[in-house]
Amino acid sequence: MPFALHGIPVSRGVAIGRAHLLAPAALDVSHYLVDEDRIEDEVQRLRAARAAVRAELSALKRDLPRDAPEEMGAFLDVHAMILDDEMLSREPERLIRTRRYNAEWALTTRLEELMRQFDEIDDEYIRERKADIEQVVERILKVLAGAPVLVPAPAPALSADGEPAPGVIVVAHDISPADMLQFRHTVFHGFVTDMGGRTSHTAIVARSLDIPAAVGVQNASELIRQDDWIIIDGDAGLVIVDPTPIILEEYRHRQSERALEKKRLQRLRHTPAVTLDGIEIDLLANIEMAEDATAALAAGAVGVGLFRSEFLFMNRRGELPGEDEQFEAYRAAVEAMHGLPVTIRTIDIGSDKPLDARDGRDGRADEYETALNPALGLRAIRWSLSEPAMFLTQLRALLRASAYGPVRLLFPMMAHAREIDQTLELVARAKRDLQERGVPFDAHLQVGAMIEIPAAVLLLPLFLKRMDFLSIGTNDLIQYTLAIDRADNAVAHLYDPLHPAVLQLIARTIREANEAGVPVAVCGEMAGDPAMTRLLLGMGLREFSMHPAQLLRVKQEVLHADCGQLSALVDAVLQAYEPEEAAAALARLSRG
Ligand code: PEP
Ligand code: MG
């Protein structure tokens, strides 16, 4: 029987395929006693899971890119060793045989015992292996749960009977932004999660992959079963489970129409983004990794407006990248852009972007356990300023990259004058460090602030005086203006980019920056939403930064826009407070 689930649309398009359920990474397993006559089967189940993880680890090792850091290989070797060690084989099997524990229960019981023993060891190196053991156990548990840990083997393009092979759609309770990033080289065709809001970072990464996705689809991971046929209607946030042939046909048709539209848009790649009244608009790209620069160029971006550097810092189990490693990553992005400007934002960690995928909102990591409200806690520039050694390392790496092409530094979540002062002081210190080492950098490199806290808008004159450019982070600006957690699906219906208060703040920032002659961009998700293009142009915005996948659709809007005409229409929008009045003013803005 077909049924539909409703969620929040976060990445457009249609995906059709079989469900692939990803078990939560949590060590949260079922506990039951195995029947006497099934004991040997249960032991075999555990052995088979270990064998599958062994195969997975050697496949990962075999497929490591040639330029992968040496530690990657060593780390996989350590995991293989742990997997084969008696500590994870003999004792859990004994628990199955003597206590009739199911495999998962036996394994986690053993894990707890090992963790206790390791805590007592007075050797830091050995204590650090704790995390490795936990990860290996998690891998086995995921296989036991029927969900391969990493990415399954690529699906064949054709199935045995010559029909196109079905796509694979990931269904999960939640996916961390870093895990999502892992999926960029996989064969997944879509994502459905129980959790998440429109501008949660998981959603943002899904959009950057240009893969249909729906988040906040409550209970999806419980209602959808492994291998169920599903359709994601990414425009509507709809998930159709077990569709009838007629529904399938309809969506296949929509899929091919969309593919055609994408192809048509490609023609605009080299067309300059100029409005009907001759105003040049800069369309830049948001990237998460240096390698995304290729997609940025392919989409015709005239630079990178936001490189979210924090992705470089994620899932490293407490070990942050050093100056050289960071420098290489930043330089790679700069060189890949061939002389076009690259705006690199300093680390913006915290809230729904924990350093480790297992940390964060569920409160499991020590660091966040104490944070009462991580979105209002020690995140972004606040964290950087509280860790000056880490921040200086990043600043030196960024400055070094500026010797290879135009780099601009962008600082997230500034609100206080002293944050500006301290940040600029640290930039000056990083410059001095490099000068002393005789390392080249661009002495005139520009520094800018993200405007994403309402207080910053109210303090614009200060920002305009001290900063070379501004970039409006609408995702957080909306969150903090409306007091709506951007990642919480329970309040997602209240997360409204068109709320008059939000529009006032954006318009004011653009107007004051334009009047002061300070470049201003929008790099939040609003910049990549073609439905917002005319509104932002009418407010006077001339620089938009978005995921490359959105760029040509936005360019199409720019090409049909007349800024002069739009600015009068936007004035009416900004003066409307009553919902009907605002809706009517917005309707007059839309094209056609
Ligand atoms: C924003 O807040 O709009 C932004 C661009 O930053 P992030 O989404 O990474 O918080
Ligand atoms: Mg932000």
Side-chain angles (χ1 to χ4, degrees):
M1 269 291 281
F3 62 96
L5 300 169
H6 295 266
I8 303 162
V10 293
S11 188
R12 294 183 57 200
V14 171
I16 302 175
R18 296 254 188 213
H20 174 77
L21 287 162
L22 271 193
L27 302 180
D28 187 6
V29 299
S30 55
H31 301 76
Y32 56 90
L33 293 175
V34 180
D35 287 343
E36 206 69 64
D37 58 350
R38 309 280 315 187
I39 283 180
E40 275 324 300
D41 291 349
E42 193 67 7
V43 169
Q44 287 313 321
R45 192 164 83 88
L46 178 58
R47 289 188 180 171
R50 288 183 39 240
V53 172
R54 197 174 300 117
E56 182 182 51
L57 288 173
S58 45
L60 280 172
K61 176 121 197 245
R62 186 195 60 217
D63 296 337
L64 271 184
R66 240 187 260 148
D67 55 355
E70 229 176 76
E71 298 84 355
M72 281 297 288
F75 150 77
L76 291 170
D77 287 339
V78 169
H79 279 204
M81 258 168 55
I82 293 173
L83 180 72
D84 284 326
D85 195 288
E86 282 196 348
M87 65 183 167
L88 282 187
S89 54
R90 197 191 290 182
E91 182 59 16
E93 289 188 16
R94 194 187 66 77
L95 289 169
I96 298 174
R97 289 205 173 96
T98 59
R99 298 201 201 165
R100 293 175 40 213
Y101 282 359
N102 61 309
E104 290 90 335
W105 189 359
L107 203 55
T108 46
T109 305
R110 179 63 179 143
L111 177 67
E112 278 161 22
E113 207 174 87
L114 286 168
M115 294 297 103
R116 269 197 307 274
Q117 289 169 7
F118 272 64
D119 277 336
E120 282 159 18
I121 296 174
D122 199 15
D123 177 320
E124 202 185 324
Y125 175 79
I126 298 195
R127 269 204 314 272
E128 276 173 8
R129 302 282 71 78
K130 257 178 76 173
D132 290 306
I133 298 176
E134 274 183 293
Q135 283 165 4
V136 171
V137 168
E138 277 198 44
R139 281 180 187 275
I140 306 174
L141 288 173
K142 284 186 184 174
V143 174
L144 285 170
V149 185
L150 270 180
V151 180
L158 291 177
S159 63
D161 54 9
E163 285 287 305
V168 185
I169 295 177
V170 171
V171 180
H173 179 63
D174 199 6
I175 303 176
S176 77
D179 279 344
M180 195 62 143
L181 211 58
Q182 263 203 97
F183 294 139
R184 65 180 52 215
H185 298 304
T186 73
V187 292
F188 294 133
H189 294 74
F191 293 93
V192 179
T193 59
D194 300 345
M195 307 293 283
R198 194 182 301 269
T199 62
S200 61
H201 284 90
T202 302
I204 289 177
V205 178
R207 231 178 339 262
S208 80
L209 303 181
D210 202 16
I211 289 176
V215 303
V217 188
Q218 288 177 30
N219 302 326
S221 67
E222 277 164 33
L223 297 171
I224 299 173
R225 287 157 313 171
Q226 187 76 10
D227 285 332
D228 270 352
W229 272 100
I230 46 181
I231 296 173
I232 302 179
D233 178 340
D235 296 11
L238 193 68
V239 179
I240 304 169
V241 186
D242 203 8
T244 61
I246 295 177
I247 299 177
L248 261 179
E249 201 40 53
E250 158 70 16
Y251 275 96
R252 288 214 165 101
H253 177 67
R254 283 205 212 173
Q255 234 179 355
S256 48
E257 279 194 335
R258 210 179 137 76
L260 265 178
E261 185 207 334
K262 261 187 167 174
K263 218 166 156 189
R264 269 198 301 271
L265 278 173
Q266 280 303 320
R267 292 196 209 123
L268 299 181
R269 239 189 86 193
H270 301 293
T271 310
V274 179
T275 62
L276 290 175
D277 49 345
I279 297 176
E280 256 179 63
I281 307 298
D282 289 335
L283 302 182
L284 298 105
N286 288 357
I287 65 173
E288 272 91 39
M289 316 270 271
E291 66 197 71
D292 299 340
T294 321
L297 278 184
V302 297
V304 169
L306 174 66
F307 178 174
R308 289 183 163 96
S309 70
E310 54 274 13
F311 282 88
L312 244 143
F313 293 70
M314 287 180 185
N315 285 354
R316 305 178 63 109
R317 294 175 298 137
E319 253 180 54
L320 302 182
E323 184 182 315
D324 287 345
E325 182 184 342
Q326 287 189 54
F327 159 64
E328 291 300 346
Y330 306 143
R331 183 176 73 165
V334 171
E335 287 183 338
M337 290 306 289
H338 301 292
L340 294 171
V342 179
T343 312
I344 309 178
R345 181 176 70 184
T346 59
I347 185 167
D348 182 359
I349 215 74
S351 197
D352 73 330
K353 278 183 294 189
L355 277 177
D356 251 284
R358 289 193 48 217
D359 303 355
R361 298 186 157 245
D362 51 10
R364 262 175 297 146
D366 302 344
E367 199 178 326
Y368 292 92
E369 229 156 27
T370 49
L372 292 175
N373 187 339
L376 301 181
L378 191 66
R379 55 167 296 202
I381 194 70
R382 304 164 183 184
W383 189 66
S384 295
L385 292 174
S386 72
E387 298 277 347
M390 179 287 301
F391 196 28
L392 275 169
T393 304
Q394 179 172 39
L395 291 173
R396 283 192 297 267
L398 289 165
L399 284 165
R400 281 168 63 185
S402 72
Y404 296 81
V407 169
R408 304 196 303 175
L409 294 194
L410 181 59
F411 302 107
M413 287 201 52
M414 295 265 206
H416 299 264
R418 69 168 178 281
E419 287 167 344
I420 305 180
D421 293 341
Q422 288 171 3
T423 301
L424 295 181
E425 174 47 37
L426 286 169
V427 172
R429 200 161 127 200
K431 286 183 178 174
R432 284 198 300 276
D433 287 351
L434 292 183
Q435 267 157 356
E436 277 165 23
R437 278 161 47 186
V439 177
F441 62 89
D442 173 9
H444 304 292
L445 123 159
Q446 296 194 337
V447 291
M450 299 271 303
I451 301 295
E452 45 189 350
I453 300 182
V457 181
L458 301 175
L459 201 60
L460 271 173
L462 187 81
F463 282 88
L464 293 168
K465 200 165 110 194
R466 310 250 182 108
M467 291 286 159
D468 299 314
F469 68 97
L470 303 181
S471 193
I472 309 175
T474 49
N475 308 335
D476 277 318
L477 187 60
I478 298 166
Q479 154 164 276
Y480 296 122
T481 305
L482 301 179
I484 297 299
D485 187 331
R486 61 193 266 192
D488 185 349
N489 50 306
V491 285
H493 60 291
L494 295 171
Y495 185 94
D496 181 10
L498 296 175
H499 188 292
V502 171
L503 297 184
Q504 297 286 338
L505 292 171
I506 299 173
R508 177 166 170 178
T509 308
I510 297 171
R511 189 185 62 242
E512 288 193 28
N514 284 345
E515 280 166 11
V518 172
V520 58
V522 169
C523 65
E525 294 301 292
M526 275 177 89
D529 182 349
M532 302 286 168
T533 311
R534 294 165 68 80
L535 180 70
L536 294 170
L537 286 171
M539 287 180 181
L541 188 73
R542 301 296 177 251
E543 193 178 321
F544 295 63
S545 192
M546 69 206 81
H547 283 299
Q550 272 115 282
L551 202 137
L552 294 178
R553 275 184 224 119
V554 171
K555 190 187 274 188
Q556 196 176 33
E557 289 298 319
V558 168
L559 296 175
H560 288 91
D562 180 319
C563 288
Q565 216 176 53
L566 286 173
S567 109
L569 290 170
V570 166
D571 281 348
V573 172
L574 292 172
Q575 277 155 28
Y577 294 97
E578 291 293 345
E580 294 80 26
E581 214 186 309
L586 280 165
R588 282 195 293 278
L589 248 188
S590 59
R591 184 149 67 96

